[in-house]
Amino acid sequence: MKNKLSQYFKVSLIIILISNSLLFSQNKYDLYQLKNETINFFKLPINWDKNDFLKLSIIGAGTFVTMQIDQQIRNEYLKDRSYNKSFPINFGKQWGEIYTTAIIGSAFGLHGIIGNNNSTKRIGFEIFQSAFYSGIITQILKISLGRARPFTNNGSKFYKPFTLFNDDFHSLPSGHATLAFSLSTILSNNTDSKILKVIFYIPAVLTATSRVYQDNHWASDVFLGAAIGYFVGEWVHSIHKESNNSNQILELRSDNSNWIIIKINF
């Protein structure tokens, strides 16, 4: 467990940057765009309005309230360990792994490039971008807070801040839940089907459940991780949606006294 965090962070960063440089180095959705949008992302708090601060307060309050019942929830899960290696629990864990995000994001990106499909290339770009931003936030909080994982049996209120290389004290927030909800949010936002929008979140819910059930995280850890992944994914998708809309120009042209509307897409 000792160097798990540093390995996780290095591997995830390398995969995301290499995948972006290889898959999205053509015109739109490349590293140049990633750089500009990354700067805008980390400048967001400067321009937050009351609604943004309200969301932050709700997330903070939800995490704090859940913390009060973390131990009780853990006790309930520990009563029955028969599902520890079941398919739903293991599938949930895999959905939150960095390689799942890398594989799915790369698949969309490759499809977009090979098939000259800008929509699927954008989805791949969004998957990597959301994972990158939410992963950074999560890792900073993990190191800064230094919360002990439940299996250490130190209790839900034991913290050892700024522990860099001991993953036993990187419980809050859950990295798996962060990546799972980041991925599910991007996929859900890129479909018009209401049924699929719901279905895409099922694996993420299984991820959150598996992390608590397998005693790797407290319930409040997965709550905060899920919130980070969700809201970052929402923002990433929204900026590209606005960009796509702004790149549609309506030109009016008169032809024999009749107005013709020409829609130009870039």
Side-chain angles (χ1 to χ4, degrees):
M1 286 285 195
K2 292 293 182 182
N3 295 314
K4 186 178 178 182
L5 172 67
S6 59
Q7 292 174 0
Y8 170 87
F9 186 74
K10 288 177 182 177
V11 170
S12 62
L13 184 60
I14 290 171
I15 288 175
I16 289 169
L17 291 180
I18 290 178
S19 298
N20 269 289
S21 62
L22 291 176
L23 298 180
F24 311 115
S25 58
Q26 304 175 0
N27 303 320
K28 212 172 180 184
Y29 308 119
D30 55 13
L31 285 176
Y32 179 77
Q33 180 176 342
L34 178 66
K35 181 198 74 173
N36 292 333
E37 292 177 352
T38 299
I39 293 172
N40 292 332
F41 176 77
F42 287 104
K43 288 168 60 178
L44 280 176
I46 300 174
N47 301 312
W48 275 358
D49 56 24
K50 61 181 181 180
N51 289 328
D52 295 312
F53 283 105
L54 177 61
K55 290 176 184 177
L56 182 63
S57 299
I58 292 173
I59 294 171
T63 303
F64 177 78
V65 170
T66 309
M67 283 179 172
Q68 311 314 305
I69 55 174
D70 272 337
Q71 191 61 57
Q72 292 93 314
I73 294 175
R74 184 196 180 211
N75 293 340
E76 287 300 316
Y77 275 114
L78 289 178
K79 289 180 180 179
D80 184 0
R81 312 307 299 154
S82 60
Y83 298 101
N84 199 41
K85 295 183 178 180
S86 65
F87 174 77
I89 294 298
N90 283 315
F91 178 78
K93 180 182 182 298
Q94 299 308 316
W95 187 258
E97 295 284 358
I98 183 63
Y99 54 74
T100 301
T101 291
I103 290 171
I104 295 177
S106 298
F108 275 105
L110 283 171
H111 180 275
I113 291 175
I114 295 172
N116 195 27
N117 188 320
N118 220 39
S119 294
T120 52
K121 188 167 75 167
R122 173 180 53 77
I123 294 173
F125 186 83
E126 289 182 358
I127 289 173
F128 285 118
Q129 188 177 20
S130 180
F132 184 43
Y133 296 164
S134 58
I136 288 176
I137 294 171
T138 296
Q139 297 306 324
I140 290 174
L141 289 174
K142 279 177 176 289
I143 294 171
S144 302
L145 297 172
R147 190 184 197 187
R149 292 183 184 271
F151 62 73
T152 64
N153 292 315
N154 286 306
S156 62
K157 297 180 180 180
F158 188 92
Y159 292 83
K160 195 175 180 180
F162 304 106
T163 304
L164 291 176
F165 302 114
N166 191 342
D167 193 58
D168 289 355
F169 299 97
H170 295 153
S171 191
L172 179 67
S174 165
H176 279 74
T178 299
L179 287 176
F181 275 86
S182 167
L183 176 58
S184 290
T185 299
I186 295 299
L187 294 175
S188 179
N189 276 323
N190 279 288
T191 179
D192 293 326
S193 169
K194 292 181 179 179
I195 296 177
L196 285 178
K197 283 182 180 293
V198 174
I199 290 176
F200 279 134
Y201 277 106
I202 294 176
V205 172
L206 290 176
T207 299
T209 303
S210 72
R211 300 311 284 164
V212 179
Y213 187 83
Q214 293 184 329
D215 211 28
N216 285 286
H217 283 286
W218 305 98
S220 55
D221 299 340
V222 298
F223 175 85
L224 181 56
I228 293 171
Y230 171 79
F231 284 107
V232 171
E234 284 285 321
W235 182 83
V236 166
H237 177 71
S238 70
I239 59 171
H240 296 143
K241 185 176 181 181
E242 291 173 3
S243 175
N244 288 337
N245 290 338
S246 66
N247 285 332
Q248 290 185 348
I249 299 176
L250 292 180
E251 177 186 333
L252 296 178
R253 187 179 70 193
S254 177
D255 185 16
N256 296 327
S257 299
N258 294 318
W259 287 98
I260 300 175
I261 300 178
I262 302 176
K263 187 176 182 181
I264 304 175
N265 295 306
F266 295 93

